[in-house]
Amino acid sequence: MDEQMISCTIDGKTITVERGTRILDACERAGIKIPTLCYLKDVSSHGSCGVCVVEVEGAKRLVRSCMHTVMPGMVIHTHNQRVLHARKLNLELVLANHPLLCTTCERNLNCELQALSQQLGVRTSRFPRTKKKFEEVDVTSASLIRDPNACILCNRCVEVCASMQSVSAIQMVGRGLKTKVATFYDQGLGNSVCTNCGQCSLVCPTAAITEKSQAQQVFDALADPSLVVLVQTAPAIRVGLGEAMGLGEGSLVTGQMVSSLRALGFDKVFDTQFTADLTIMEEAYELMHRLTHQGQLPMITSCSPGWIKFIETFYPEQVGHLSSCKSPQQMFGAIAKTFYAEQAHLDPRKIRVVSIMPCTAKKFEAGRSEMDSSFAYWKEKLNLSEVERFADVDWALTTRELAKMLKQVGIDFAGLEASDFDDPLGASTGGAVIFASSGGVMEAALRTAVEKLTGTVLQDVEFASLRERKGIREAALKIGESTVKVAVANTLSNARVLLDQIKAGTSPYTFIEVMTCPDGCLGGGGQPIPTNADIRAKRAESIYEEDRSKPIRKSHENPAIQDLYARFLDQPLSPMSHHLLHTTYTKRVVYPLD
Amino acid sequence: MSDRHTAIQEIVASHRTERGALLSILEAVQRSSDHNYLSKEELVLVAKELEVPLSTVYSVATFYAFFNLKAQGEHVITVCRGTACHTRGSKPLLTQVLKQLNLQLDEEGTATTDDVRFTVHTVACFGQCALAPVIAIDSVIHSRVTEQKLSQMLQSLLEGKEVS
Ligand code: SF4
Ligand code: SF4
Ligand code: SF4
Ligand code: FES
Ligand code: FES
């Protein structure tokens, strides 16, 4: 027999598994799904809850199947009385200190703790509450709310923040009954190095970390007849929203999404993909400008707001590498409240721009003080005073928030007829679609830059090496005589690798794309729960399918974008573009000393 | 750079490569501090010099009971609030200490006078129940404490004398 294979007995069945297989994975192969609470595949294994116990013959105590691997000849019982009793007991211990306010809870019907209690048949906890204090809810962040009272100390968020994002804004602090997840000195996420990525909210099994919802503000705006409420949808929503509305994983729902937004009452349903094409124009030209004018290289993309706060905080000396382009969300807001306002003869003060984003950091981005170029544009023309200041984007909702709004009003999502985006800010190319996936912005930029740089038509628009499902990907391109190397990173720990190369002077790249979330925006912190590697793969498939189905796949060929330049912006990097579509960055500190 | 910053730099440099460096560094920083505690600024400096996240430093400093995040008085008075001591009147003793020093316990169950001369704590049990009620002053255990005895001890401390 293969050295690497070992056999064991699970509930009387003999099965053979690879050495090093976790007991719970072996059980799954034997047809038994062991319940888990703190453990999350590929993400975190903390071994603290004891919900996953099994009996191993010869072992005195029950064994946590998420923490231990199968040994040759192991005899495992997954559901005898002793095991079932212990699982319930361990869950009841967790519940003893839990608020149990399911009916009014943010995570009601989408909560692992609730689902597990249901599954294990736990109806009450036999244990009294041991925690004395009610913990203060952390509302300091623009993006997230942390409620330590709902926390079950599973450690997933801490792990994700440290390992996936290399940020460590949060940690377990205190000891014993006082243990809790907290930022430094409990100063709150908003006063910490947190990048607002929301990956912690995606893995949290309970309502202890949720997005800071702006749904009510949007409902209020929709109900106000004096306002014109525009909505824009990020590329990744069309492969995420369906899941939250009960359709299959990664289902592509572009047309229903548009119809559902119209049904909610938005005056115009526009597409962030329109400004994704615009971003490509500006960014490709910026890259070409840097290449021909000895500009700072590598140039790094700037559309992911978690990434922006990360580099501003941890590598402030490197912000010069960032493209000065605003993200598509912000370009949209700036264009909607200037160009579109003029076209449609609207008072910019009466326009509200709502974005639907796969991202919690977009809330922070929309609130950045420099994101008010449309106000600056109108200030003199309309003689506005500072108190009338308006932001380019008013509210940024996550996919999850939109799904809740749709459910609240009772829209039958699956039964909706598909419909098209409104003109003129609704037209987009395949290049814009793939912004949803890690590697997509790079690919779209190359579709435009390579063509412009070589002066020849790019026949094959798909860059296979940029689509490999890896944290860091690279490609080498021949442009004329020279070879240009580019790289793509998703998650901040991978971005750190590329930044450290730049710091050490060893970066071989000309152009780098960074996305904060695993596999890019389609795995964003505002996407439906659960989001895991398998689900992300399905969403990515749908995105590339949508790209292939688009009649135009290169951003610079988008006629609506060409028209926008002809009528309003002039050309990429023009003074008007600079004014509305480009931005500056803030240097932040990791270790604040007052 | 402040003297304290330089001192912390030296402490960090001397432990940097050790296993469990953070713990030894925090111990050394607390030991060398004026009032036997780790200030917020000191924690920031340690994190910065050791190049670890602030949250990690805070995590360690709050996990171990021997780290103090608040200034500790020159004299530390610990009143036992365990069951045995309670039944033998530790509550009035605690009230007396607090009143005499004009203090109120915070939610962590401690308090320090503004001049940082006295810190009062409570504990759940000293394991000396037979000698209840028990009060420790500067780590010396005093048994079968009466209100009168306590008052004398506090008076001596206030006058800057040793407690017998
Ligand atoms: S976090 Fe889950 S179990 Fe707790 S109150 Fe909310 S829905 Fe219920
Ligand atoms: S939002 Fe991201 S950076 Fe902030 S605490 Fe959560 S995981 Fe960490
Ligand atoms: S906040 Fe959520 S993810 Fe973090 S430890 Fe608590 S329950 Fe787990
Ligand atoms: S799931 Fe195994 S200990 Fe929590
Ligand atoms: S109760 Fe006070 S010493 Fe035990």
Side-chain angles (χ1 to χ4, degrees):
Chain A
M1 198 163 118
D2 190 336
E3 279 284 290
Q4 289 311 307
M5 301 302 282
I6 53 175
S7 36
C8 61
T9 309
I10 298 175
D11 297 334
K13 256 191 247 173
T14 303
I15 74 154
T16 309
V17 295
E18 257 172 60
R19 202 177 277 278
T21 302
R22 272 178 219 270
I23 295 178
L24 69 85
D25 291 327
C27 293
E28 189 154 354
R29 243 168 287 167
I32 296 287
K33 197 159 165 14
I34 306 283
T36 53
L37 185 54
C38 63
Y39 174 74
L40 188 61
K41 187 164 174 263
D42 303 328
V43 172
S44 179
S45 89
H46 190 52
S48 55
C49 75
V51 157
C52 64
V53 289
V54 294
E55 188 177 82
V56 172
E57 282 186 14
K60 260 211 207 107
R61 320 182 76 196
L62 294 177
V63 170
R64 301 189 173 206
S65 64
C66 71
M67 294 295 285
H68 297 272
T69 55
V70 173
M71 292 296 162
M74 230 182 207
V75 180
I76 299 162
H77 301 282
T78 69
H79 54 264
N80 60 25
Q81 280 295 310
R82 182 179 172 216
V83 166
L84 294 182
H85 182 80
R87 284 183 189 159
K88 272 192 167 182
L89 191 113
N90 288 338
L91 182 57
E92 285 177 57
L93 284 168
V94 173
L95 290 177
N97 280 311
H98 196 78
L100 299 180
L101 297 168
C102 298
T103 43
T104 50
C105 178
E106 202 53 46
R107 289 288 296 271
N108 190 14
L109 301 182
N110 182 17
C111 169
E112 287 181 52
L113 184 59
Q114 191 185 50
L116 192 65
S117 307
Q118 168 69 3
Q119 188 193 340
L120 299 193
V122 171
R123 291 278 163 267
T124 174
S125 177
R126 276 167 280 173
F127 304 98
R129 186 177 170 86
T130 48
K131 280 189 191 169
K132 298 214 172 62
K133 236 175 90 190
F134 177 83
E135 298 285 353
E136 216 173 298
V137 177
D138 176 7
V139 295
T140 56
S141 161
S143 298
L144 297 158
I145 292 184
R146 282 196 347 99
D147 181 357
N149 301 292
C151 175
I152 57 162
L153 302 175
C154 71
N155 206 53
R156 289 180 185 179
C157 56
V158 171
E159 183 61 32
V160 158
C161 194
S163 302
M164 177 192 286
Q165 302 299 39
S166 69
V167 169
S168 287
I170 44 178
Q171 265 292 354
M172 288 287 172
V173 308
R175 64 179 302 151
L177 282 176
K178 287 188 182 147
T179 307
K180 62 176 176 182
V181 175
T183 53
F184 180 63
Y185 257 87
D186 251 324
Q187 292 176 146
L189 281 181
N191 304 312
S192 77
V193 291
C194 169
T195 66
N196 305 299
C197 75
Q199 286 298 320
C200 50
S201 72
L202 216 47
V203 298
C204 181
T206 71
I209 313 178
T210 52
E211 66 270 45
K212 191 177 251 181
S213 182
Q214 297 172 316
Q216 193 52 51
Q217 287 93 312
V218 174
F219 271 128
D220 292 346
L222 289 171
D224 183 340
S226 72
L227 299 176
V228 175
V229 190
L230 313 178
V231 66
Q232 56 164 324
T233 59
I237 311 304
R238 58 213 77 199
V239 295
L241 183 62
E243 289 171 18
M245 298 308 290
L247 304 181
E249 291 170 357
S251 45
L252 184 61
V253 295
T254 318
Q256 285 109 305
M257 170 185 78
V258 173
S259 304
S260 70
L261 289 164
R262 238 175 236 129
L264 260 186
F266 287 101
D267 293 292
K268 293 285 174 189
V269 182
F270 289 139
D271 203 353
T272 314
Q273 284 184 186
F274 172 78
T275 39
D277 279 332
L278 186 59
T279 304
I280 290 302
M281 293 300 287
E282 294 294 325
E283 202 154 309
Y285 276 84
E286 183 184 356
L287 178 65
M288 293 188 282
H289 185 85
R290 287 190 190 215
L291 281 167
T292 50
H293 292 77
Q294 281 82 48
Q296 198 168 1
L297 293 172
M299 184 174 94
I300 318 180
T301 60
S302 54
C303 27
S304 183
W307 151 243
I308 297 300
K309 186 162 182 241
F310 178 83
I311 186 172
E312 288 178 331
T313 306
F314 293 98
Y315 296 84
E317 69 290 351
Q318 293 194 34
V319 292
H321 287 280
L322 285 175
S323 159
S324 62
C325 288
K326 287 181 183 171
S327 70
Q329 154 169 286
Q330 294 306 136
M331 285 197 184
F332 182 93
I335 292 294
K337 290 191 179 181
T338 57
F339 169 73
Y340 178 73
E342 283 174 3
Q343 293 291 304
H345 308 291
L346 297 171
D347 180 341
R349 287 166 291 189
K350 293 287 174 198
I351 299 179
R352 294 293 178 273
V353 171
V354 177
S355 30
I356 312 298
M357 294 285 138
C359 179
T360 49
K362 288 283 168 190
K363 292 175 187 287
F364 174 82
E365 181 184 58
R368 290 179 69 124
S369 60
E370 67 273 22
M371 293 298 173
D372 64 350
S373 323
S374 57
F375 173 69
Y377 175 91
W378 288 108
K379 205 173 160 197
E380 269 182 34
K381 289 189 209 241
L382 296 180
N383 196 17
L384 302 178
S385 70
E386 272 310 313
V387 289
E388 289 178 285
R389 178 191 178 270
F390 48 81
D392 296 336
V393 172
D394 296 276
W395 303 292
L397 306 182
T398 61
T399 318
R400 300 192 290 264
E401 285 169 87
L402 174 60
K404 280 185 184 149
M405 290 178 76
L406 295 175
K407 287 177 186 166
Q408 188 174 333
V409 302
I411 288 171
D412 169 20
F413 190 81
L416 282 175
E417 291 273 346
S419 63
D420 271 337
F421 287 103
D422 288 304
D423 284 331
L425 311 182
S428 69
T429 71
V433 175
I434 56 176
F435 264 62
S437 176
S438 170
V441 177
M442 174 62 72
E443 193 173 322
L446 293 179
R447 289 179 189 178
T448 292
V450 172
E451 213 161 89
K452 300 278 173 194
L453 284 167
T454 59
T456 52
V457 174
L458 187 67
Q459 297 300 344
D460 183 9
V461 297
E462 299 188 2
F463 294 76
S465 64
L466 297 176
R467 296 183 177 194
E468 285 168 27
R469 298 198 66 230
K470 292 195 300 196
I472 297 179
R473 314 162 192 184
E474 37 173 23
L477 310 156
K478 271 217 94 58
I479 294 183
E481 292 302 292
S482 49
T483 304
V484 169
K485 282 187 125 187
V486 300
V488 165
N490 62 74
T491 76
L492 297 172
S493 58
N494 287 318
R496 208 179 254 282
V497 174
L498 300 184
L499 283 175
D500 285 337
Q501 286 176 349
I502 297 176
K503 203 172 185 174
T506 58
S507 178
Y509 307 114
T510 301
F511 188 24
I512 292 173
E513 174 206 293
V514 174
M515 290 294 155
T516 307
C517 295
D519 295 328
C521 310
L522 55 84
Q527 289 283 59
I529 298 170
T531 289
N532 57 40
D534 294 342
I535 294 174
R536 293 197 303 263
K538 290 183 192 160
R539 292 180 192 157
E541 263 173 48
S542 296
I543 282 296
Y544 288 114
E545 178 193 319
E546 177 98 322
D547 169 33
R548 282 191 299 274
S549 74
K550 283 276 192 182
I552 305 176
R553 299 179 69 186
K554 299 168 189 162
S555 297
H556 57 281
E557 292 175 0
N558 181 339
I561 292 290
Q562 291 168 346
D563 188 58
L564 175 67
Y565 279 110
R567 290 161 64 171
F568 187 64
L569 292 171
D570 189 19
Q571 56 184 9
L573 311 184
S574 71
M576 183 64 93
S577 293
H578 263 290
H579 181 63
L580 293 177
L581 309 179
H582 291 256
T583 189
T584 53
Y585 302 103
T586 309
K587 294 189 175 176
R588 301 173 196 269
V589 288
V590 181
Y591 304 108
L593 287 163
D594 4 75
Chain B
M1 206 179 291
S2 69
D3 289 354
R4 194 62 187 142
H5 193 164
T6 320
I8 287 175
Q9 255 177 350
E10 280 164 17
I11 293 173
V12 172
S14 68
H15 293 278
R16 165 153 246 135
T17 54
E18 282 172 25
R19 276 189 61 192
L22 181 52
L23 198 57
S24 333
I25 291 165
L26 290 178
E27 271 181 304
V29 171
Q30 175 163 304
R31 214 179 312 120
S32 64
S33 71
D34 280 343
H35 297 292
N36 190 35
Y37 82 115
L38 296 163
S39 70
K40 187 174 180 178
E41 195 184 358
E42 285 166 334
L43 292 183
V44 175
L45 289 171
V46 167
K48 185 179 157 119
E49 293 304 327
L50 194 61
E51 296 171 81
V52 295
L54 286 175
S55 62
T56 305
V57 173
Y58 189 55
S59 174
V60 172
T62 53
F63 183 79
Y64 294 96
F66 51 82
F67 290 128
N68 302 311
L69 296 186
K70 286 184 184 151
Q72 299 298 296
E74 211 179 310
H75 300 292
V76 179
I77 301 166
T78 314
V79 181
C80 180
R81 292 289 293 120
T83 321
C85 293
H86 178 76
T87 46
R88 290 179 176 229
S90 72
K91 183 85 189 278
L93 293 178
L94 178 61
T95 314
Q96 186 188 344
V97 177
L98 293 173
K99 204 170 150 207
Q100 206 157 341
L101 298 173
N102 196 17
L103 286 174
Q104 261 184 332
L105 292 184
D106 62 15
E107 53 182 39
E108 309 288 313
T110 84
T112 299
T113 54
D114 290 340
D115 60 5
V116 208
R117 281 194 65 202
F118 297 95
T119 292
V120 179
H121 288 285
T122 58
V123 292
C125 175
F126 272 121
Q128 308 277 351
C129 309
L131 305 175
V134 174
I135 288 183
I137 296 181
D138 298 334
S139 306
V140 178
I141 295 219
H142 300 269
S143 49
R144 301 211 171 93
V145 180
T146 59
E147 289 185 30
Q148 197 183 4
K149 188 168 164 192
L150 177 62
S151 167
Q152 280 166 6
M153 292 194 294
L154 286 175
Q155 200 50 45
S156 314
L157 288 174
L158 283 165
E159 286 163 12
K161 292 189 228 149
E162 291 291 302
V163 175
S164 51

